[in-house]
Amino acid sequence: MPKPYTGPPPILVGYDASDDAVRALDYAARIAAASKTMLQLVYVADDTVVNSAWGVVFDDSGVQATARRLLAEAALAAHALGVAKKRIRVKVAVGSPIGVLTQLSENCSMVVVGRRANTSYTRQFSGSTSVGLAASVRCPLVVVADAAEYPQGPVGVALDASEDDCAALDWVLGNPLFAGKPVTVVSVCKAPQSRIFRSSLSPEQIELAIQQTAAQQATLVGRAAARHPDAPRVSTEVRYGSPVDELASFSETVSVLVIGADVRFPTYAVGSVARGVMTHAGCPVVLVK
C-alpha cells in the first residue's frame, strides 16, 4: 500500500489540451517535479455548453471518455518532465470552469492556467477564465504567457510603494519554491495622467518623485526582509511611467513576475494594472491576493 502524500499542497492545472493548457501543464509539471509536489490535473466540461440547446449533440459518456484520454496523455507528459506517477492525480468535472477550479483551489498551493490571448487582436485582453479566476481563486494564480522562451532571470516582484501591502513579496520570500533564488523588487512611480489637463513635470520633480518612491520601497522591503531573515538578499529597482508598460517591460528580464492582486468592490474583479500585466507580460505571472 503506497504511503499517503505528505508534501506541500498540490498544484492545480486546468487542462483541456488546448495550446495554452499545454503550456500551463509544462510550467506546472516542472515546478511539481523540482519541489516534489502533487500535481492535480482537472478537465472541466463546461455545463453551459453541454446543457444548452446544442447539448443534444453531446454524448456524456463520450465527453467523459475523451476527457479521461486527454488527462491520461497529460499525465504521461507530466511524468516525462519528472513528476512521479504517484504524485499525479486526474479529475473530470462538469460545471463552470471558474467555479470548479475555484472550489478545488481551496487546498492548493497554486492554480496554473494559460493566458488564452495569443493573436494580435486577442492579446489586447487576457482570457475570461484567467481574469475570473484572478478574483475568485483561494490561492495564488499563475497565468502562463505564450512566449516561446522565458527569460532565465531572477524572481521579479512588483511592489506598490504607496500601499502598506507586501503580500506578494512575503509570499516569495517565504516560499520554498524560490529558496536561494535572487529576487528583484520593482516599484513604478506613476506618471500623472488626465484626459483634460496634461500636466508636465520638470526633470527635477520627476527625480524627486522617484526618490520618494525609492524611500517608501526601501521601508517596505526592509520590513519584509526582517520577517524572512533566511531569505536571499533582495535587489530593488524604481521605474517611472505607466505601471502596465513598465511592468510588462520588466517582465522581459525575470523568470516569473509576482504581483499583488486586490479584488475591487463592487465588481469583485482585480484592478486594471493586474489585468494589463496578465495580458502583456513576457513571462509567467503569479497573482497573490
Side-chain angles (χ1 to χ4, degrees), residues 149-171:
E149 258 182 55
Y150 300 127
Q152 297 299 312
V155 176
V157 181
L159 179 65
D160 186 347
S162 65
E163 300 285 343
D164 189 17
D165 182 5
C166 293
L169 181 56
D170 279 320
W171 184 76

Side-chain angles (χ1 to χ4, degrees), residues 26-210:
D26 181 86
Y27 186 80
R30 293 178 190 277
I31 295 177
S35 59
K36 293 181 169 53
T37 302
M38 180 77 73
L39 185 65
Q40 186 172 1
L41 310 177
V42 180
Y43 183 104
V44 183
D46 193 338
D47 59 358
T48 60
V49 175
V50 175
N51 297 326
S52 68
W54 296 309
V56 293
V57 303
F58 288 94
D59 174 11
D60 180 65
S61 61
V63 171
Q64 293 277 342
T66 298
R68 287 193 294 270
R69 176 179 58 80
L70 294 176
L71 288 174
E73 293 172 354
L76 287 175
H79 178 59
L81 290 170
V83 185
K85 291 182 178 180
K86 65 181 180 180
R87 289 197 296 270
I88 300 175
R89 299 288 185 271
V90 298
K91 180 181 179 65
V92 179
V94 176
S96 157
I98 293 175
V100 170
L101 293 176
T102 296
Q103 183 178 21
L104 293 175
S105 72
E106 181 73 46
N107 299 310
C108 292
S109 60
M110 63 178 66
V111 176
V112 185
V113 295
R115 178 157 60 189
R116 281 202 193 279
N118 302 329
T119 68
S120 58
Y121 173 76
T122 58
R123 273 294 298 273
Q124 299 177 56
F125 309 98
S126 193
S128 59
T129 298
S130 56
V131 171
L133 286 171
S136 65
V137 290
R138 295 156 189 170
C139 64
L141 173 71
V142 183
V143 180
V144 181
D146 56 319
E149 258 182 55
Y150 300 127
Q152 297 299 312
V155 176
V157 181
L159 179 65
D160 186 347
S162 65
E163 300 285 343
D164 189 17
D165 182 5
C166 293
L169 181 56
D170 279 320
W171 184 76
V172 169
L173 296 182
N175 196 323
L177 291 177
F178 305 119
K181 295 184 179 179
V183 177
T184 299
V185 172
V186 63
S187 297
V188 179
C189 183
K190 185 178 179 180
Q193 295 179 344
S194 171
R195 292 183 178 180
I196 302 176
F197 302 104
R198 295 291 179 180
S199 56
S200 178
L201 299 183
S202 67
E204 293 77 14
Q205 289 173 311
I206 293 175
E207 181 60 30
L208 178 59
I210 292 174

